[in-house]
Amino acid sequence: MGSTRPTFHLVMVLAILSTLVSTLSAFSSSCCCREVSSLTTTRHQTHLSRLSATTFQDLSEPEQRVYSLVESLHKSGHVFRIVVMGNGAILETTSKLGPVMKLNTSPKTGKALLTLASKDQSFEFHLSPSDTAKVVLTERDTGEQVMRVIRFLNSDGAPMCSLILGEDSPEAAKWYSELRNTYGEEMQL
């Protein structure tokens, strides 16, 4: 019995390697001029290529307002603490929103999908403008720092995600104040 277990593991390893080689071969033949730097990059590039293109003009007026706000966040170059809450889970990360920003149609839902990603697309943040019913831009002094938070809420008033401005510099405060002057403290969509 001891000799079948290593044989079984060897067969499994060979099967996984074979699948990996065929996946990389298929990818490199479909993208003949692109170098593949990692399997993660391959998976994310393949994922983004499955999304069909959407244009700004395809969006409804409320979706265009969400897009414009997110584009302002993206272009700012500021770092945000991104908090996404789900059923029994919370995901937090700190990142700039970009440098990649794309607008696509989700193949799963058919809805417009904003994608903000790192250059190698190992990090992606997706937001559905049509699911966003309200955006709240808050500012609260905690005593140690001023928290500047942008909350995206769904039609039930539940948070979809929060973006917390990652710095408390005078430049960041001025930018956030201008953002609130442009979009208001609440954007009802």
Side-chain angles (χ1 to χ4, degrees):
M1 183 176 229
S3 64
T4 45
R5 177 167 254 153
T7 304
F8 172 75
H9 289 296
L10 182 59
V11 169
M12 291 304 292
V13 168
L14 290 174
I16 291 168
L17 286 174
S18 173
T19 303
L20 180 61
V21 168
S22 15
T23 301
L24 290 174
S25 296
F27 182 77
S28 64
S29 66
S30 67
C31 305
C32 56
C33 297
R34 190 179 343 177
E35 255 184 67
V36 178
S37 62
S38 72
L39 183 56
T40 302
T41 301
T42 302
R43 184 173 58 86
H44 289 291
Q45 287 170 341
T46 303
H47 168 71
L48 281 178
S49 68
R50 286 192 317 245
L51 300 173
S52 60
T54 298
T55 66
F56 181 78
Q57 290 75 23
D58 295 332
L59 300 175
S60 68
E61 189 272 331
E63 292 171 331
Q64 287 180 357
R65 289 172 50 208
V66 171
Y67 178 93
S68 295
L69 172 64
V70 172
E71 185 177 45
S72 296
L73 304 177
H74 164 72
K75 286 182 175 180
S76 75
H78 289 293
V79 171
F80 292 88
R81 182 113 186 121
I82 304 164
V83 182
V84 179
M85 292 156 278
N87 295 328
I90 298 173
L91 172 66
E92 294 186 29
T93 189
T94 303
S95 180
K96 287 185 178 182
L97 300 177
V100 175
M101 181 174 172
K102 295 182 181 186
L103 179 62
N104 294 296
T105 302
S106 169
K108 188 174 184 178
T109 65
K111 296 178 181 180
L113 193 64
L114 276 167
T115 299
L116 297 151
S118 60
K119 187 174 182 179
D120 68 356
Q121 297 171 345
S122 61
F123 168 79
E124 293 178 346
F125 170 61
H126 303 286
L127 180 69
S128 172
S130 66
D131 290 333
T132 307
K134 185 178 186 179
V135 181
V136 181
L137 290 87
T138 64
E139 196 169 46
R140 184 175 55 109
D141 192 341
T142 66
E144 292 180 25
Q145 68 177 26
V146 176
M147 298 285 293
R148 296 175 177 90
V149 182
I150 304 156
R151 286 191 176 81
F152 293 80
L153 307 171
N154 66 21
S155 60
D156 295 328
M160 296 167 51
C161 64
S162 296
L163 303 176
I164 304 167
L165 187 58
E167 55 187 283
D168 194 18
S169 68
E171 296 82 17
K174 181 178 185 237
W175 171 82
Y176 192 78
S177 177
E178 291 169 0
L179 190 73
R180 285 178 64 167
N181 288 337
T182 301
Y183 295 98
E185 291 180 26
E186 280 191 15
M187 247 178 38
Q188 192 70 45
L189 302 164

